[in-house]
């Protein structure tokens, strides 16, 4: 299959052309609003793939009728309560690609939003299908005393990284905004869990591929702490913080409160492009 190649000649470039869509990694612990951010404030039409994560159907009830009509939800889950088999993981990866091609090819959803929720689950499945078999081959070769049993550095991850890289860039090239959500996990030290320290469960290439990394978290409305345990401190504010912002690194670390009126994407778009939202 031939590659897609685009040539941009500066002498012919129209600066009035709308800025290209950008991609985002939206990261946070459970309940910090990753799906809320992705579904309720982004430019429609919206295609949302729920991949082994919590059901997103109830968000339909919180949408205006106009937005609801322009939203398509896909829910992909394993066939049994025992979790994913390797064959099912392969099928899920292929299904994500097929859905993207169906909705986005030929730039027919330009200016819309494609959400993979979660990117963490997607990377886990890629590892199960492409990385784990190579590791198993190496372990077997090691047992047999063969030279191929030696460690190969990042070569085992190469195919998986290429898939993630290709999928994100292909979607962006179709003119759609791309959002990958990523769960966070507790960081551990020599003596146990490190209080207040969490890291995103993310493919190591994604932070370099996306233009924006957004950290979602909650703080106590009384004392402002992220991990407040005071029994009388009731209520939490939902916050967003830029971990990466390619349009202006001066904004990295900038944080703001998310609201029902602005779930967050409008602020990101305005800061990134210098223009107000083009959608309702």
């Amino acid at each position: 299959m031939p590659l897609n190649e685009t040539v941009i000649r500066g002498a012919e470039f129209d600066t009035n052309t709308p800025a290209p869509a950008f991609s985002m990694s939206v990261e946070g612990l459970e309940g910090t609003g990753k799906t809320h951010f992705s579904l309720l404030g982004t430019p429609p039409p919206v295609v949302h793939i729920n991949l082994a994560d919590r059901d997103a159907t109830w968000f339909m009830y919180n949408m205006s009728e106009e937005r609801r009509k322009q939203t398509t939800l896909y829910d992909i889950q394993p066939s049994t309560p025992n979790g994913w088999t390797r064959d099912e993981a392969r099928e899920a990866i292929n299904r994500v690609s097929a859905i993207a091609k169906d909705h986005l090819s030929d730039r027919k959803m330009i200016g819309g939003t494609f959400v993979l929720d979660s990117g963490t689950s997607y990377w886990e499945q890629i590892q199960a299908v492409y990385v784990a078999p190579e590791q198993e081959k190496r372990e077997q070769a090691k047992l047999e005393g063969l030279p191929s049993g030696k460690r190969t550095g990042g070569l085992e991850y190469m195919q998986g990284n290429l898939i993630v890289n290709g999928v994100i860039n292909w979607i962006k090239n179709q003119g759609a905004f791309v959002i990958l959500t990523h769960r966070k996990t507790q960081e551990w030290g020599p003596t146990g869990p490190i209080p207040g320290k969490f890291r995103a469960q993310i493919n190591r290439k994604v932070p370099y591929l996306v233009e924006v990394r957004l950290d979602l978290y909650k703080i106590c409305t009384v004392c402002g702490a992220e991990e407040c345990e005071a029994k009388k401190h009731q209520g939490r504010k939902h916050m967003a913080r830029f971990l990466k912002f390619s349009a202006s690194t001066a904004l990295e670390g900038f944080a703001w409160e998310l609201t029902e009126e602005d779930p967050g994407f409008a602020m990101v778009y305005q800061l990134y492009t210098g223009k107000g939202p083009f959608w309702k």
Side-chain angles (χ1 to χ4, degrees), residues 88-100:
E88 286 177 334
R90 185 186 302 276
E91 186 177 352
I93 293 168
N94 292 338
R95 188 69 189 115
V96 168
S97 297
I99 292 169

Side-chain angles (χ1 to χ4, degrees), residues 212-233:
V212 179
R213 285 183 69 192
L214 195 66
D215 178 33
L216 301 186
Y217 60 101
K218 294 184 288 187
I219 61 173
C220 174
T221 55
V222 179
C223 68
E226 286 191 47
E227 294 191 24
C228 173
E229 296 181 356
K231 294 181 179 180
K232 293 185 179 181
H233 288 194

Side-chain angles (χ1 to χ4, degrees), residues 11 22 49 62 71 80 89 105 121 144 160 179 211:
F22 52 81
I49 301 178
N62 294 336
T71 299
T80 73
S105 59
S121 297
E144 297 173 5
I179 296 178
E211 285 77 30

Side-chain angles (χ1 to χ4, degrees), residues 179-194:
I179 296 178
L180 292 89
T181 68
H182 291 99
R183 300 188 297 270
K184 282 186 172 183
T185 187
Q186 177 77 57
E187 286 195 18
W188 288 67
T191 59
I194 304 173

Side-chain angles (χ1 to χ4, degrees), residues 29-247:
L29 295 170
E30 294 295 327
T32 51
K34 298 184 294 295
T35 304
H36 185 274
F37 174 94
S38 304
L39 276 176
L40 296 185
T42 47
V46 177
V47 173
H48 176 277
I49 301 178
N50 176 41
L51 192 60
D53 216 270
R54 292 186 296 183
D55 183 29
T57 306
W58 76 271
F59 286 99
M60 288 289 201
Y61 296 96
N62 294 336
M63 297 179 188
S64 65
E65 182 177 2
E66 182 180 359
R67 171 171 281 270
R68 191 161 52 247
K69 288 179 178 179
Q70 298 182 81
T71 299
T72 304
L73 304 182
Y74 290 89
D75 186 68
I76 302 175
Q77 302 289 344
S79 60
T80 73
N82 298 325
W84 296 90
T85 65
R86 188 168 290 172
D87 286 341
E88 286 177 334
R90 185 186 302 276
E91 186 177 352
I93 293 168
N94 292 338
R95 188 69 189 115
V96 168
S97 297
I99 292 169
K101 184 177 180 181
D102 183 50
H103 285 275
L104 303 173
S105 59
D106 300 323
R107 298 174 66 85
K108 57 177 173 275
M109 209 177 89
I110 189 168
T113 307
F114 186 89
V115 183
L116 186 53
D117 190 6
S118 70
T120 299
S121 297
Y122 185 61
W123 176 232
E124 289 170 348
Q125 290 166 355
I126 287 177
Q127 289 182 90
V129 174
Y130 294 101
V131 180
E134 295 303 315
Q135 292 177 331
E136 291 165 4
K137 289 179 186 177
R138 179 171 58 80
E139 288 301 319
Q140 183 60 37
K142 183 179 179 181
L143 291 173
E144 297 173 5
L146 300 175
S148 55
K150 296 180 180 180
R151 287 191 173 274
T152 55
L155 293 178
E156 293 167 347
Y157 288 85
M158 184 180 296
Q159 182 64 30
N161 290 335
L162 285 172
I163 292 172
V164 173
N165 191 330
V167 167
I168 293 175
N169 284 316
W170 184 86
I171 295 172
K172 282 197 298 183
N173 288 338
Q174 306 310 307
F177 294 93
V178 189
I179 296 178
L180 292 89
T181 68
H182 291 99
R183 300 188 297 270
K184 282 186 172 183
T185 187
Q186 177 77 57
E187 286 195 18
W188 288 67
T191 59
I194 304 173
K197 287 287 186 178
F198 303 92
R199 61 177 178 81
Q201 296 173 289
I202 189 171
N203 170 269
R204 65 186 182 88
K205 294 289 185 181
V206 170
Y208 303 99
L209 291 173
V210 298
E211 285 77 30
V212 179
R213 285 183 69 192
L214 195 66
D215 178 33
L216 301 186
Y217 60 101
K218 294 184 288 187
I219 61 173
C220 174
T221 55
V222 179
C223 68
E226 286 191 47
E227 294 191 24
C228 173
E229 296 181 356
K231 294 181 179 180
K232 293 185 179 181
H233 288 194
Q234 182 176 344
R236 298 293 183 267
K237 294 180 181 180
H238 285 259
M239 305 292 293
R241 174 173 51 223
F242 288 128
L243 301 177
K244 176 183 179 180
F245 197 72
S246 295

